[in-house]
Amino acid sequence: MIPFRKMHGLGNDFVVLDGRETKLGLTPRHAAGIADRHFGIGCDQFIVMEQPPPGADVFMRIRNPDGSEAGACGNATRCIASLVADQLGKDRVVVRTIAGELPVERLPGGLWRADMGPARLGWQDVPLADEVDTLHVPLALGPVADPAVCSMGNPHATFFVDDLDALPVAEIGPRLETHPIFPDRANIGFAQVMSPDHIRLVMWERGAGMTLACGSGACATIVNAHRRGLTGRRATITMPGGDLVMEWREGDGHVLMTGPVATSFSGVLDLAAYAG
């Protein structure tokens, strides 16, 4: 029986296991079974804390409900940072993922600010299948067209729309995620700019579907909105689960994300029950 913790950032929820002292032998099948909301515990992503490399405080491995591995998850980064910071008695920790090192610091009011690193804007960085302008990608489906794309350690496309509530996100999201222009699939954001410092956002996440919030999606949205001249470098991004304050820092191009974390419950699970 293995201890676990159920955490979330704005409703973007995670099952967290600690594999720092003992190798758990987890497989994509385990992750998919535990993430199932009917037969497992249920989550948007499955997180394992592992021993960190030099210079970091923890390594965070992220798997989607379909068992695929993700390179970045902003809400999970804050959750894991809060756990490790409390364990180490620190207000600033470094979380390492397969996409790089993410410094996170504790702020007043139960908030955490994560430096999600620089946005990568080249077509080959996203990646895209063809060499095209990442600010205006020739892609359209139904009521949406002309996304801007970037990588935040995982591929993101942002469609800017006039009426977010009118979009059939569950219908077009999976078709856009798997479009041939995205060889590694992509996270698809639908953004409605309300003002120069406020954006509404709904995400269709690669390998997870619709989620209440997406930290890396919010990062990509502020980057793409500012590149389009729609907002400043700092904005509040409102998702179904709540708000994140985002800033695309001038100079080094790093994206800063500020938001809350929460623990829903903890327990133990029988890993063998999810092996088949």
Side-chain angles (χ1 to χ4, degrees), residues 15-41:
V15 172
V16 179
L17 299 185
D18 191 343
R20 288 174 293 181
E21 299 300 327
T22 304
K23 288 190 178 297
L24 303 177
L26 297 168
T27 67
R29 188 180 294 274
H30 286 123
I34 293 168
D36 190 285
R37 295 191 182 276
H38 298 288
F39 296 100
I41 298 168

Side-chain angles (χ1 to χ4, degrees), residues 73-120:
C73 180
N75 288 314
T77 298
R78 297 197 316 279
C79 288
I80 297 303
S82 70
L83 285 180
V84 175
D86 288 344
Q87 291 168 353
L88 298 179
K90 300 168 67 173
D91 289 328
R92 185 183 185 278
V93 296
V94 176
V95 178
R96 179 68 182 264
T97 74
I98 61 174
E101 293 188 351
L102 306 173
V104 188
E105 61 181 319
R106 189 194 311 264
L107 299 179
L111 298 176
W112 294 82
R113 181 167 59 206
D115 180 344
M116 298 297 292
R120 294 174 175 83

Side-chain angles (χ1 to χ4, degrees), residues 16-17 70 132 139 174 190 194 212 249 258-259:
V16 179
L17 299 185
V132 299
L139 174 60
F190 304 94
M194 311 303 292
L212 293 178
R249 192 162 61 193
T258 301

Side-chain angles (χ1 to χ4, degrees), residues 30-86:
H30 286 123
I34 293 168
D36 190 285
R37 295 191 182 276
H38 298 288
F39 296 100
I41 298 168
C43 60
D44 291 326
Q45 275 87 28
F46 180 82
I47 309 296
V48 180
M49 296 188 292
E50 300 178 3
Q51 283 289 346
D57 294 292
V58 66
F59 184 91
M60 178 178 73
R61 195 168 300 279
I62 312 159
R63 288 200 182 275
N64 294 313
D66 65 0
S68 62
E69 188 166 4
C73 180
N75 288 314
T77 298
R78 297 197 316 279
C79 288
I80 297 303
S82 70
L83 285 180
V84 175
D86 288 344

